[in-house]
Amino acid sequence: METANIISQLHIGSALLALLLAAFVLIVPKGTPFHKRLGYAFASTLLIVNVSAGFMYNLTGRFNLLHVFVMISMGSLLYGMIPAIRRKPANWLRRHISGMTGAALGVWAAGLAELTIRVLPGFMNPSQIIGIAAGIGVVFFFLIGFLIGRFMKTLPENP
């Protein structure tokens, strides 16, 4: 089996698992041992998704705008996980909520973008497909901001 095919299969399998785990992590009560176990599973799976996506160039044959979203996803994941693991700085919980909400909803945005990449090639050229996928990313960016704002309002001022 060729390397590109193995990477694609790893990416798709881990992405499907990340989609499922992201939904559960956002739904279950926060701070519980179950939430933490799900969170670590989600973070590990998303790490695999992002690393494998970094090696995928089959749409354009080179680095493109979708790879920028991979870097944003990794940044969001690290921004959310590192403070939660270290329990530092003082506002670690706010950072965790921001980063992980972005990571969880970001994986759903990526899933919809991926769907456009799989469905639209027969109808559009790669530039148009990337434009649609980027548009989906922008919509989710604002949705993520809205939800982070809602989650933050439930926190005490200095947790």
Side-chain angles (χ1 to χ4, degrees):
M1 188 176 284
E2 69 181 63
T3 303
N5 194 20
I6 292 170
I7 290 172
S8 291
Q9 289 178 353
L10 177 66
H11 179 76
I12 291 167
S14 58
L16 290 171
L17 184 56
L19 287 167
L20 181 66
L21 290 169
F24 281 119
V25 168
L26 288 172
I27 292 169
V28 300
K30 308 302 178 260
T32 64
F34 185 59
H35 171 80
K36 291 175 185 177
R37 281 193 300 273
L38 279 176
Y40 279 114
F42 167 68
S44 300
T45 307
L46 186 56
L47 182 64
I48 294 167
V49 171
N50 284 324
V51 170
S52 61
F55 290 98
M56 297 174 77
Y57 297 94
N58 48 339
L59 184 63
T60 63
R62 59 186 166 84
F63 184 89
N64 61 60
L65 181 61
L66 299 179
H67 290 98
V68 173
F69 288 115
V70 171
M71 292 186 288
I72 292 168
S73 177
M74 283 296 291
S76 184
L77 179 62
L78 294 173
Y79 187 81
M81 285 302 295
I82 291 172
I85 292 168
R86 296 182 64 219
R87 299 287 201 237
K88 293 179 183 175
N91 68 344
W92 71 267
L93 184 56
R94 290 180 181 277
R95 287 186 180 195
H96 176 67
I97 289 170
S98 294
M100 297 313 292
T101 301
L105 293 178
V107 79
W108 279 93
L112 288 173
E114 181 69 18
L115 185 60
T116 64
I117 290 168
R118 300 278 178 204
V119 171
L120 296 179
F123 307 102
M124 298 179 168
N125 66 45
S127 296
Q128 292 169 321
I129 295 168
I130 290 172
I132 290 172
I136 290 169
V138 168
V139 168
F140 268 84
F141 176 79
F142 287 106
L143 178 61
I144 290 165
F146 170 75
L147 288 176
I148 289 172
R150 283 193 54 206
F151 289 146
M152 292 299 184
K153 287 179 185 175
T154 66
L155 292 177
E157 193 57 37
N158 291 314

